[in-house]
Amino acid sequence: MTALSIASWNVNSVRLRAPLVAKFAAETRPDVICLQEIKCRDGEFPAAAFRDMGYPHIHVRGQKGLHGVAIASRLPLDPLPDEALCPRAEARFQRVKIAGVEIQNYYVPAGGDEPDPAINPRFAHKLEFLDAMQAYFARRAAEGAAIIVTGDLNIAPYEHDVWSHKQLLKVVSHTPIETEGLERVRETGGFTDIARALIPEPEKLYTWWSYRARDWRAGNRGRRLDHIWASAALRGAALAGGRDGFAIFEDCRGWDRPSDHVPVLARLKL
DNA sequence: ATGGTAGTTTCACTA
């Protein structure tokens, strides 16, 4: 049996946040780190800093200034085609194979403020992106492949994934069209939400706290936007470790010049 | 009902 630990973190600019990633990597030593919102082109990724952290194998899907995803690994990785999945061709999806596991890294569109696709093109894009994910999973479901889906999905699916279910029902990230859509996507692919399989409701779980709060810790108005899912072939490996199989690194939100998201981590026993 | 902060594409946009 071998262990494989996979972290996911929306860093909100990898060039600015590379020192924080280094601190996290030194403390937690994940085998793989999936990043979102790197906000740079491929060639601007701070690859040398990641090599120094012990992650020489890197796959970047960047774009100028906005969005962008990257995967950094201690183990060799094989890039896989990204299927041009994003309906607007933004850098929001990539996939690789590491130690026999396919890792898919997503940055789902945030969707703007108004949860109505008829008047808000960014919300329409978010729903189109979910449709594209569902169609992709439907095409691949019969394979039975060992797949990890991770990233900033920008949706808090369950009641206890937000600080106030009632007050967020009309707020983008927790509206029924989004939460039901994400459930459909997950079920289409036969994926297990590792966090909730190991840490069931009603325990509150958050991975994001707004920059705009006066005191993020005191108010604790968080949302669980960052996810790690395991395909049916990996469900046993994902749940074998019990509660230690999943972690949220809330302390990172209190570091100097933090991201508004914190890292999440799954520990697989393959 | 409003505004609050952060980052990059910056006297404007996304999140």
Side-chain angles (χ1 to χ4, degrees):
Chain A
M1 176 171 291
T2 60
L4 184 71
S5 57
I6 301 164
S8 174
W9 195 0
N10 177 324
V11 285
N12 186 20
S13 171
V14 71
R15 289 174 290 183
L16 214 54
R17 231 67 80 182
L20 268 58
V21 178
K23 179 174 160 72
F24 169 69
E27 291 176 358
T28 303
R29 302 185 59 78
D31 297 309
V32 181
I33 305 177
C34 297
L35 302 170
Q36 305 86 35
E37 271 205 278
I38 62 172
K39 291 186 168 178
C40 67
R41 301 174 179 94
D42 292 10
E44 295 166 334
F45 188 89
F50 278 78
R51 277 196 297 274
D52 291 346
M53 295 175 211
Y55 298 85
H57 309 286
I58 299 167
H59 182 44
V60 183
R61 281 276 291 122
Q63 83 179 59
K64 185 179 180 182
L66 282 170
H67 321 311
V69 289
I71 298 173
S73 175
R74 295 185 182 281
L75 307 167
L77 64 76
D78 293 315
L80 299 171
D82 66 16
E83 330 293 337
L85 183 133
C86 177
R88 300 194 182 176
E90 294 169 344
R92 297 180 177 276
F93 174 61
Q94 63 178 164
R95 62 190 186 113
V96 301
K97 186 167 275 196
I98 298 172
V101 174
E102 177 175 334
I103 297 175
Q104 301 184 359
N105 185 23
Y106 290 88
Y107 176 47
V108 173
D113 287 333
E114 186 57 54
D116 179 352
I119 60 172
N120 174 7
R122 286 201 291 280
F123 195 72
H125 184 209
K126 185 175 199 173
L127 300 182
E128 288 162 14
F129 195 99
L130 291 179
D131 288 345
M133 287 178 76
Q134 184 173 349
Y136 180 50
F137 291 167
R139 289 203 300 278
R140 300 209 45 202
E143 275 176 53
I147 300 174
I148 290 292
V149 164
T150 191
D152 175 5
L153 305 185
N154 263 316
I155 296 171
Y158 307 128
E159 179 174 344
H160 297 284
D161 293 336
V162 293
W163 64 276
S164 169
H165 174 62
K166 189 169 177 225
Q167 291 182 73
L168 287 171
L169 274 170
K170 293 181 177 173
V171 174
V172 170
S173 74
H174 195 62
T175 65
I177 192 170
E178 294 169 86
T179 58
E180 290 165 13
L182 191 67
E183 277 296 271
R184 232 174 9 249
V185 169
R186 189 181 58 72
E187 286 166 3
T188 297
F191 291 102
T192 296
D193 175 351
I194 298 175
R196 281 307 184 192
L198 295 175
I199 311 170
E201 296 197 284
E203 183 165 338
K204 294 280 191 186
L205 293 177
Y206 310 139
T207 67
W208 173 91
W209 292 260
S210 172
Y211 281 128
R212 298 174 190 177
R214 282 182 196 87
D215 184 336
W216 72 275
R217 212 188 298 265
N220 199 23
R221 295 184 168 194
R223 306 179 200 173
R224 185 171 73 103
L225 304 180
D226 302 273
H227 301 272
I228 308 180
W229 296 349
S231 68
L234 285 176
R235 180 182 163 90
L239 305 188
R243 188 156 176 148
D244 287 344
F246 188 84
I248 299 175
F249 295 85
E250 188 176 319
D251 286 352
C252 298
R253 186 64 178 78
W255 289 356
D256 190 43
R257 295 202 77 185
S259 171
D260 45 356
H261 295 253
V262 297
V264 295
L265 178 90
R267 296 184 181 93
L268 308 183
K269 293 185 186 297
L270 297 171

